[in-house]
Amino acid sequence: MKRFGKKSGIAAASVSAALLGGLVAAAPAWAATPSGCPEPSVSLTNSSSGYLTGKGTASCSKTVSGTLYIEIKWDKNLLPDPLTAKNSQTGSRSSWSTTVGTCDNGNRRSYYARSYWSGGKYHDTTPRHITAC
């Protein structure tokens, strides 16, 4: 077994710290929920024909920049849940609303809607068994 001297250990630690620092610096720098905005509200509806509509909304106390996402997902026992449809709204505003819709080829599955700010916490509806159009 080869032993490394004190200088080798310091050099290896320096290289590791530099690499780790580079990884940390490479992480995106966005705010989870824009200041002055609530966590998004989320809903999932289906029409009599089976068309699924997911909606994410938020009313901020001031104009903010960001991205609000809405997704419709298939609730499976195995994670991650497959994405069925997705949309987003990006820009600067105080009133946020984004929708997404799908027929999902007439499948009967357990679906839920998910809304979140870019980098923020997920907010999900309760999964429901729906026959899509």
Side-chain angles (χ1 to χ4, degrees), residues 6 9 34 52 56 67 73-74:
K6 188 175 186 179
L52 305 174
T67 301
K73 300 192 85 154
W74 173 17

Side-chain angles (χ1 to χ4, degrees), residues 39-54:
E39 294 295 328
S41 297
V42 62
S43 65
L44 176 66
T45 58
N46 66 304
S47 68
S48 59
S49 67
Y51 189 77
L52 305 174
T53 303

Side-chain angles (χ1 to χ4, degrees), residues 19-100:
L19 288 172
L20 185 57
L23 292 175
V24 172
W30 58 62
T33 299
S35 177
C37 294
E39 294 295 328
S41 297
V42 62
S43 65
L44 176 66
T45 58
N46 66 304
S47 68
S48 59
S49 67
Y51 189 77
L52 305 174
T53 303
K55 186 173 186 177
T57 59
S59 293
C60 304
S61 62
K62 61 184 179 180
T63 299
V64 297
S65 295
T67 301
L68 181 64
Y69 291 93
I70 183 68
E71 299 175 344
I72 296 176
K73 300 192 85 154
W74 173 17
D75 185 34
K76 287 187 72 166
N77 292 331
L78 182 63
L79 294 175
D81 289 335
L83 181 64
T84 305
K86 183 176 184 174
N87 196 14
S88 64
Q89 183 180 44
T90 300
S92 295
R93 59 187 50 84
S94 60
S95 182
W96 293 80
S97 180
T98 184
T99 59
V100 67

